[in-house]
Amino acid sequence: MFFIDTIDTAGLGNRSYLAGGAATAVVVDPPRDIDRVLAAAAARGVRVSHVVETHVHNDYVTGGPELARITGAAYLVPAAARVAFARTPVTDGDVVNVDDGVTLRAMATPGHTPHHTSYVLEDRGEVVAVFTGGSLLIGSVGRPDLVEPRPTERLARAQHASVRRLAAELPDETPVLPTHGFGSFCSSSRSEGGASTIGKEKAGNDALVKDVDSFVTALLAGLEDVPAYYAHMGPANAEGPAPVDLTAPRTADAADIAERLAAGEWVVDLRNRIAFAEGHVAGSFNFEADGQLATYLAWLIPWGKPVTLLAESPEQLATAQRELARVGIDRPAAAATGTVQDWLPDGHAPRSFPRATFADLAAQHPGPDVVLDVRRDSERATGWIAGSVHIPIHHLHRRLADVPAGRVWVHCAGGMRAAIAASLLDAAGRDVVAVDASFDTATDAGLPVTTGADA
């Protein structure tokens, strides 16, 4: 009998898979921190015989080369992928034996990348699942614009054809097991749900219900900004990433933290946004450990800038370090654990700023204060507070000078990104209020929410 285990990397919106039989297994799209994969294989009592990539990833650093080296597994990578390391090239129709009666068959599914390959898992000749990587996602498809701008439309058309090939050649009951689409920015649109089948996708996936021209037009129109760190992931994966190093970083004391801030380095406070607002080291930034830490810190930080992490506990620090390593921020320059008082030189008081609700904002609106919306363009398009300034969070660190003078009430859709933005503004010396509430409550609070249609 076959098995399939999911290895979830929730912070990046990705999944990897361990699948096989009684003795041996294959790993599909392994994460950088391969100890999780090895633990899953040990729990099953199986040997990893094959490691496969659906494509050269643009959103995280793969653990494939190191996992293959440690386990002695064959490392299967699409033949057309340009990589600088030795691997077993895979082409359309190739079949590998994973375990007794369990096989994996390659299906060329270009679109997300030119070389993208899906893998069909079969047990004694019966299709039991398909690993679709960044091709067919749950209710969506992988975006086709991550390689470079020029082939985007061609890849979008290829994506349509690839998804239709999967739907035509596989039984309706086949489980669809994508790598992306659970919050990943590799998805061309928001994916809903955690499980699907070929049959379910036939009923509602745009690639399967729209003709190619309509699909491509809608897909290209919906593409938003690519996280800045993606530019570094593809080259790192093509070169062959180094093994991950999760040993503890150098310990920073209060004087060291102050020196690093003075030198222009990034000091990142991992505590929750309530604790940060109540008191923090002046000049530090707040990226919550429980939020999408890796995505937003890697998106905003100038690549290669030294970063010092401030955490409540060694456990919180270790988790954050692991998440950052997945996107190539391998070694924090330093770190400290404890409370804000531990991180401040003697005689220095913590900074703070207020938090508020949309009702609090409505009580003073309209007024002389600035309302700053840091949501993405697509979120803003559904409605915004009349008179608000719009700077998406991933642009704000470069556009602080564009924020008008005055007290700034900053909001997003739920509070996490507003907290990041508030910390950036606070570090720049601005008078800021973090609106920590769902934007869905803005209208009920009495704020004038408008759309382009209302203008």
Side-chain angles (χ1 to χ4, degrees):
M1 288 293 292
F2 76 96
F3 73 87
I4 301 173
D5 290 340
T6 299
I7 301 166
D8 192 29
T9 305
L12 295 178
N14 287 329
R15 290 177 178 176
S16 305
Y17 301 94
L18 176 74
T24 51
V26 60
V27 178
V28 181
D29 289 342
R32 182 85 182 280
D33 46 333
I34 61 171
D35 56 330
R36 294 189 295 149
V37 180
L38 295 172
R44 282 283 184 180
V46 296
R47 176 178 63 87
V48 175
S49 60
H50 297 82
V51 176
V52 305
E53 305 279 10
T54 56
H55 61 293
V56 175
H57 304 280
N58 286 284
D59 63 327
Y60 70 93
V61 180
T62 180
E66 181 65 3
L67 181 61
R69 185 189 70 81
I70 286 178
T71 61
Y75 189 31
L76 280 58
V77 178
R82 296 184 177 183
V83 295
F85 49 82
R87 90 286 196 198
T88 300
V90 178
T91 58
D92 186 55
D94 286 352
V95 176
V96 297
N97 294 315
V98 177
D99 197 84
D100 182 27
V102 180
T103 60
L104 199 68
R105 173 166 53 90
M107 285 184 68
T109 48
H112 186 50
T113 67
H115 60 267
H116 190 283
T117 300
S118 299
Y119 297 91
V120 180
L121 188 70
E122 298 183 357
D123 182 27
R124 308 192 186 283
E126 296 292 326
V127 173
V128 293
V130 58
F131 302 105
T132 55
S135 184
L136 175 60
L137 309 185
I138 297 177
S140 185
V141 298
R143 58 192 297 171
D145 61 329
L146 300 182
V147 177
E148 63 162 312
R150 287 177 297 176
T152 296
E153 182 174 351
R154 174 173 58 82
L155 288 175
R157 291 181 178 276
Q159 187 73 294
H160 185 269
S162 292
V163 169
R164 294 204 162 208
R165 180 190 180 192
L166 289 166
E169 296 185 16
L170 298 176
D172 282 357
E173 64 271 17
T174 305
V176 174
L177 304 178
T179 300
H180 306 311
F182 309 96
S184 168
F185 282 91
C186 275
S187 178
S188 63
S189 62
R190 185 174 179 84
S191 300
E192 300 289 348
S196 189
T197 63
I198 291 292
K200 289 180 181 178
E201 293 306 309
K202 283 182 177 179
N205 193 298
D206 275 0
L208 296 170
V209 298
K210 291 183 177 180
D211 65 81
V212 63
D213 291 331
S214 299
F215 167 78
V216 170
T217 298
L219 177 62
L220 299 185
L223 295 175
E224 294 192 272
D225 290 349
V226 177
Y229 70 92
Y230 277 25
H232 306 280
M233 300 297 96
N237 287 325
E239 183 65 26
V244 67
D245 180 2
L246 296 177
T247 57
R250 171 187 170 183
T251 300
D253 59 19
D256 192 26
I257 293 168
E259 289 175 3
R260 291 182 180 280
L261 283 167
E265 298 183 11
W266 276 39
V267 173
V268 171
D269 190 326
L270 300 169
R271 295 175 301 152
N272 70 69
R273 56 187 182 260
I274 298 173
F276 184 88
E278 290 176 347
H280 55 269
V281 177
S284 63
F285 303 136
N286 182 214
F287 290 80
E288 292 180 298
D290 293 335
Q292 290 180 276
L293 169 67
T295 294
Y296 283 102
L297 179 55
W299 198 339
L300 270 63
I301 192 170
W303 199 251
K305 173 81 73 173
V307 60
T308 294
L309 301 178
L310 307 181
E312 290 179 310
S313 67
E315 294 76 19
Q316 186 183 62
L317 174 61
T319 299
Q321 185 178 349
R322 178 181 290 269
E323 288 196 29
L324 294 177
R326 294 169 182 158
V327 293
I329 302 178
D330 282 358
R331 298 294 300 157
T337 58
T339 69
V340 66
Q341 296 299 334
D342 298 321
W343 308 328
L344 288 168
D346 291 342
H348 287 244
R351 276 186 66 90
S352 64
F353 53 76
R355 296 166 51 252
T357 65
F358 283 105
D360 297 324
L361 175 57
Q364 64 81 50
H365 187 82
D369 293 355
V370 178
V371 178
L372 175 63
D373 180 350
V374 296
R375 296 174 300 159
R376 296 189 301 277
D377 290 345
S378 62
E379 295 173 290
R380 171 105 173 161
T382 64
W384 63 87
I385 297 172
S388 61
V389 176
H390 182 223
I391 304 177
I393 183 64
H394 53 280
H395 293 313
L396 182 61
H397 61 301
R398 297 189 302 269
R399 295 183 55 192
L400 290 171
D402 294 339
V403 181
R407 192 179 215 201
V408 183
W409 295 65
V410 59
H411 79 85
C412 61
M416 182 194 73
R417 287 171 293 171
I420 297 172
S423 72
L424 296 175
L425 291 160
D426 176 78
R430 296 298 302 269
D431 181 9
V432 64
V433 179
V435 179
D436 192 358
S438 170
F439 187 73
D440 292 341
T441 66
T443 299
D444 290 342
L447 288 163
V449 174
T450 185
T451 67
D454 301 323

